Amino acid sequence: MTDPAPAFSAADTEQVNCCLCGDTGTSVYELPPYGVRRCARCTLVFVSPRLRAQALSRFYDQVDYFECGVYGDQTGWSPAMALQRLWTSGRLNRIAKARSTRDSNARLGRPADGQRLLEFGSGYGLFLAAARDRGYDVQGVELSHPAAQQTAKLGLDVYCGQLVDAPLDGPYDVICGWDTLEHVPNPLAVLRRIRELVADDGTVAMSTPYFSSLPSRLLRKRWWTLKPTEHIWHYTPYTLRLLAARAGFTVTDVIRSPLAPANLTRLDSLVILLRPA
Ligand SMILES: [Zn+2]
C-alpha cells in the first residue's frame, strides 16, 4: 500500500509529550519532519514532532486515503474486501463471546437485538452495516468527510469529527475502534470519553498495530505500518494495559495470532477487549 500523504513541512508539525506521563521521550527514529520517541517512564511510543490537527484533517479528507490506503478495490470479492468481511465477522463473534456471560441472547447465539454499538473511526461504515445486520442499534464517528458521507449513504447514523467532540448519549453496550487508536491526537482522552459512554457491563473492542511485533522489531524504520504522518501512537500489550487502567478499564483479551479470524493475516497488529474496571 502506498502512503498517499501530500508533502508536509516542519511548519505543519507540533511537539507532543507522552499522554500518560507528560515525558518528552527519547528518540527512537528520526524521520524528518517527524520523530518517533519512547517515553522514558512508561515506554509508550509516540510521534513528535507530528502533524498539527489542521494538517491532519486535510490529510484524512483526501478521498484516496480510504480508496487507496485502507479499503483498496471495493468491488465485490477483492482480497482486501474479503479480508475486511472476515475481520468483521471474527470481531463481532469475539465481542459476542466476551459478552456471553452477561447477555443471554449472546449466550444462545442469537443477534444482539436492541443493544447499542458505537464505532469510532467508522471509515466507510462497513463494520457498522454488519453490526446492524446482527441486530445492534449502531452509530458511528468518523473524522473524514468523504468517508462519513459514504457511511450516511448506507442509511447509517454517523457524526463527522473527533469522538471527544461528538454529541453522543450513552450508555452504549459495545464501543469499537478498528485501527483508530494509533491515529487519535490524545488516546487517554479518547478512552476516558469511552468510559463515560460505555455501560458499566459494556464491552470495548479495538485493534491497533503494535510496536513490539516481529515486523516492527525486524524492519525498524522500514516497518510498513510505522507511517508517522498518520500513526502517531505506537503501543505494546504492556502500554495498552497502562492506558486502559488510567482510563478506568481492565484488559480482558489480547488477540495477537494472525490465524485468529478477528486478526487474520495480521502479523503486526492485535485485537484487544476491555471492560470497565
Ligand atoms: Zn509515559
Side-chain angles (χ1 to χ4, degrees), residues 1 4 9 19 24 36 41 47-48 62 75 108 114 126 128 173 182 196 209 226 245 252 264 273:
M1 282 189 262
S9 71
C19 67
T24 54
V36 177
R41 295 170 69 179
V47 173
S48 177
Q62 305 167 94
T75 52
L108 297 170
L126 304 176
L128 279 183
D173 301 289
E182 65 276 19
E196 290 169 357
L226 197 58
T252 58
L264 199 68
L273 273 72

Side-chain angles (χ1 to χ4, degrees), residues 13-18 24 29 31 33-38 44-51 182 185 211 226-234:
T13 67
E14 62 181 2
Q15 307 272 348
V16 294
N17 298 338
C18 173
T24 54
Y29 307 130
L31 299 160
Y34 313 109
V36 177
R37 305 182 73 80
R38 181 187 279 113
L44 181 58
V45 174
F46 54 97
V47 173
S48 177
R50 71 178 189 192
L51 283 188
E182 65 276 19
F211 204 71
L226 197 58
K227 298 183 179 174
T229 305
E230 55 191 288
H231 292 172
I232 53 182
W233 300 93
H234 285 286

Side-chain angles (χ1 to χ4, degrees), residues 18-23 39-44 46:
C18 173
C19 67
L20 293 176
C21 313
D23 190 279
C39 175
R41 295 170 69 179
C42 77
T43 72
L44 181 58
F46 54 97

Side-chain angles (χ1 to χ4, degrees), residues 30-97:
E30 297 296 330
L31 299 160
Y34 313 109
V36 177
R37 305 182 73 80
R38 181 187 279 113
C39 175
R41 295 170 69 179
C42 77
T43 72
L44 181 58
V45 174
F46 54 97
V47 173
S48 177
R50 71 178 189 192
L51 283 188
R52 292 176 192 281
Q54 210 178 6
L56 204 60
S57 293
R58 230 157 68 216
F59 175 75
Y60 289 120
D61 277 345
Q62 305 167 94
V63 171
D64 60 357
Y65 171 73
F66 283 101
E67 305 251 312
C68 305
V70 179
Y71 295 125
D73 175 12
Q74 286 197 70
T75 52
W77 292 100
S78 69
M81 287 306 289
L83 258 182
Q84 289 280 346
R85 288 193 186 89
L86 277 168
W87 290 332
T88 292
S89 73
R91 290 164 183 179
L92 284 167
N93 290 342
R94 287 304 289 240
I95 291 164
K97 191 178 160 206

